[in-house]
Amino acid sequence: MENLEKLEENKLKVTKASGKLESFSEAKLKKSLSYIIRGYENTVDTDLIVNQLKLEIFDGITTHDLNKALIMVTRSMIEQDPAYSYISARILLRQLYHDTIATEIDWSNLDTLYRNAFKGHIAKGLELGMLDKRLGEFDLEKIAAALKLERDYTLEYLGMQTLYDRYLLRESDLGGQIIETLQGFWMRVAMGLALAEPVADRNDRAIEFYEAMSTMRFVPSSPTLFHAGTKHPQLSSCYLNSVGDSLESIYKLYADNAQLSKYAGGIGTNWTWVRASGSIVKSTGIKSNGIIPFIKIADSSTVAINRSGRRRGAAAVYLENWHYDFEEFLDLRKNTGDERRRSHDLNTAAWVSDLFMKRVEVDGDWTYFSPEEVPQLTETYGEEFTHYYEEYEAMAARGEIKLYKTIKARDLWKKMITMLFETGHPWITFKDPSNIRSPQDHVGIVRCSNLCTEITLNNDLKETAVCNLGSFNYATHMKDGRLDIDLVKKTVKTGMRMLDNVIDINFYPTSEARTSNMRHRPVGLGIMGFHDALYQLNVNFDSEAAVIFADESMELISYHAILASSELARERGAYETYKGSKWDRGLMPNDTIRLLEKSRNQSIEVTKTGKLDWAPVRQMVHDYGMRNSNCMAVAPTATISNIVGSIPCIEPIYKNIYVKSNLNGEFITINSYLVEDLKHLGLWDYEMIGLIKYNDGSIRNIPQIPQHIKDKYKEVFEIDPRWLIRSAAYRGKWIDQSQSLNIYFSGTSGK
């Protein structure tokens, strides 16, 4: 009441950045808002914002806190209209300008101030020893002139806040002053990625990379955004390694993984080589405690690492489901039982053979072994694995194997599904297709996947597989209700070049990671905004048209990704282990479906061919080889999708309205496509907002909404998960790695 009285009497004071006090001016605030809401004048209620703000401010409030209060007011209104998300972002953007350009800004001269600030920020980063000194060798006048300031206004609030809090370069990692603007951020990353280019080409390549990122057509993964252009450019996303059956190997793994996590990498580790509980350790003659106590240590080590000061450590542990300790492995994520045999922060994943699935189908038996007694099981897959597995079963029956246990395959499958239903773990990943379809089957085994199950690369004790990720954004490639084919080609070609550059620029925390990445040069070009594209096409997710679009659009991306890698091979040379690879043998990803059919002795019900003429791609690969052993992998894209404002990766929208929580706070998220359609129908008002909130985001039980709108805007739990699987299957034949695929099941019974 006292503050309101002071407002009415024009006595409430605001403390400026200089420390000077001035009276709060409603007229000045409204004038400022009139600039901020440009383009949304017919949607945003300025009076409503101002009146709500009056309830939030106090005498002596600083301009910084006044700005924060204004953001809090407008972000609370996002549920009324997605326009308020852009308004909140613009208010935060103004704060960023004050932080990075000047406390008092001459807005009429912003263009010059912005470009000068960029050059100053590069100089500051170099002075502080944060940036690679080669960034100072660019033509900064030319680079600064290429910045597109208007693109600052394309971000929604969640994206803006995420960049502001976690991605923009600061004077120190302990919350120091921000030293880059939004466009400066995209350009710093672009310049960092251009360092692999010849000196004469670096300026033009940096601008090319900047154009792809700042328009949000292609966005690299978070480690690349964090570290490109810095003194420690650890740009890779994922690491896959294995732990050997010795204390030396186990404790080396802890140290290696700590280094990989330190620089923001996500890790997947194969633990199948480590002997099971009850087996004899030859050097001591005592029984082993198995893998569980060691995984517990790995869990604690993972939690202790804060990745780049911006993310918690994250890792996954993989175990083949014939391992004698597998049933205890299933229980690792349970919230009950002996805490010394639980790992609440490590993700667990089962590495499953086709043989096991066939045993489940026929209600057959399944036998657990300890790996030191069955050494061929970790080194084989497909028909060869089946041969050795059956031989080991026969040996066990003859008493020639000491440690084994036989159960019904269906009983184990039920336990796996039950744990997945109860805890979300262990994820189920498939050993045989990962190896049978791998382009690198001539030089090793795929022993596990990564933190998100989309990476399928060889690894062993000498090589830690590394994958370098970035994602193509469907949402920015739609034009006049269709996919812009020429723009897709342009984006994919640029994206593949950026990803290939990562390999040469990258800081490698371990020698095993460097060895692997330099030999094979794998990258993972992924996708996001798939459901955004379906909305723009007016295609329902649970339809054959969506499956066809998944198929045809991924073919287009695959075509140009493989072609781009081969063109890079012509320019830079093929990767070291190209000879003998599937590429060298003339096999494209879709060709490998027939190999999988042969191994399984059953038909896979997807089409094997596409609509494009692949002859030029095959000829190019034949003539020049490939620059990269692998080209594509569909990662989850959670954070970068937040930044660009798209629906993550290949998934349907989670809810039409909900509150998203992450390390940056809580954010209202609303389906802007739905809002626009309801506006066109004259149905968007406060009553409709209330009904959607009452139904927790779902619109299926709101009688006012037409059925075709209800069908279009089903939430993820309202879509039969078989549609996600069908789209993934048809998309997957074009991908040389894999896809991170979630199954959303709305039932309350695991049966």
Side-chain angles (χ1 to χ4, degrees), residues 584-595:
D584 185 38
R585 283 145 41 204
L587 295 171
M588 296 290 114
N590 61 308
D591 298 328
T592 65
I593 300 296
R594 299 193 188 281
L595 300 180

Side-chain angles (χ1 to χ4, degrees), residues 320-336:
E320 295 200 40
N321 72 337
W322 52 259
H323 194 287
Y324 196 82
D325 288 344
F326 187 76
E327 289 194 30
E328 278 204 272
F329 181 81
L330 288 176
D331 293 338
L332 278 170
R333 291 291 296 238
K334 287 177 69 173
N335 290 320
T336 57

Side-chain angles (χ1 to χ4, degrees), residues 56 73 90 143 158 202 254 281 341 502 605 608 671:
E56 308 294 334
V73 167
R90 291 180 181 184
I143 293 290
L158 174 56
R202 285 180 185 170
Y254 298 149
V281 180
R341 305 186 76 80
V502 165
E605 295 177 5
K608 310 302 186 295
N671 187 339

Side-chain angles (χ1 to χ4, degrees), residues 127-311:
E127 176 191 334
L128 293 171
M130 301 179 71
L131 296 179
D132 188 306
K133 63 182 181 181
R134 291 174 292 175
L135 265 59
E137 299 169 3
F138 281 80
D139 182 345
L140 293 182
E141 290 294 335
K142 179 177 181 177
I143 293 290
L147 299 176
K148 303 290 195 301
L149 278 63
E150 65 274 13
R151 292 176 187 165
D152 279 359
Y153 293 93
T154 59
L155 290 177
E156 297 179 52
Y157 175 63
L158 174 56
M160 177 71 74
Q161 189 72 59
T162 300
L163 288 176
Y164 186 92
D165 287 342
R166 291 166 58 191
Y167 286 78
L168 299 181
L169 202 64
R170 294 175 181 267
E171 290 184 359
S172 77
D173 288 332
L174 301 176
Q177 180 71 24
I178 295 173
I179 55 170
E180 61 187 1
T181 58
L182 284 185
Q183 299 310 306
F185 158 75
W186 294 121
M187 188 60 86
R188 182 259 302 169
V189 175
M191 293 164 69
L193 292 175
L195 291 175
E197 304 287 345
V199 173
D201 298 337
R202 285 180 185 170
N203 292 300
D204 290 337
R205 288 297 184 188
I207 293 169
E208 175 190 343
F209 298 164
Y210 164 79
E211 283 293 316
M213 290 186 291
S214 64
T215 55
M216 300 177 206
R217 292 185 285 118
F218 177 84
V219 181
S221 64
S222 288
T224 304
L225 299 179
F226 288 155
H227 300 136
T230 69
K231 290 290 287 294
H232 285 286
Q234 196 303 100
L235 313 181
S236 295
S237 310
C238 303
Y239 296 91
L240 280 65
N241 55 16
S242 292
V243 55
D245 188 28
S246 69
L247 280 177
E248 291 80 8
S249 182
I250 291 170
Y251 278 84
K252 181 181 186 302
L253 176 93
Y254 298 149
D256 287 352
N257 283 2
Q259 290 299 319
L260 298 173
S261 285
K262 176 182 176 181
Y263 293 102
I267 303 163
T269 299
N270 159 42
W271 280 82
T272 306
W273 276 333
V274 179
R275 68 186 56 219
S277 176
S279 60
I280 301 299
V281 180
K282 289 182 180 179
S283 60
T284 61
I286 62 174
K287 289 185 177 181
S288 168
N289 288 320
I291 67 169
I292 302 302
F294 293 116
I295 289 179
K296 176 66 175 177
I297 297 172
D299 182 61
S300 299
S301 177
T302 300
V303 176
I305 304 296
N306 187 340
R307 293 188 286 167
S308 296
R310 297 174 171 107
R311 317 165 99 184

Side-chain angles (χ1 to χ4, degrees), residues 447-505:
R447 304 182 188 281
C448 62
S449 188
N450 67 317
L451 183 63
C452 306
T453 73
E454 82 279 3
I455 304 303
T456 52
L457 300 174
N458 305 342
N459 74 83
D460 55 34
L461 295 182
K462 295 181 180 178
E463 292 192 6
T464 292
V466 185
C467 205
N468 316 291
L469 305 180
S471 289
F472 169 96
N473 184 8
Y474 273 98
T476 54
H477 289 82
M478 304 302 294
K479 182 180 179 181
D480 300 327
R482 63 177 181 84
L483 199 59
D484 187 333
I485 294 173
D486 292 334
L487 189 59
V488 171
K489 177 182 178 180
K490 180 180 179 181
T491 300
V492 171
K493 185 174 182 177
T494 298
M496 286 296 293
R497 191 176 194 96
M498 292 165 70
L499 292 174
D500 187 61
N501 284 359
V502 165
I503 297 165
D504 296 310
I505 297 164

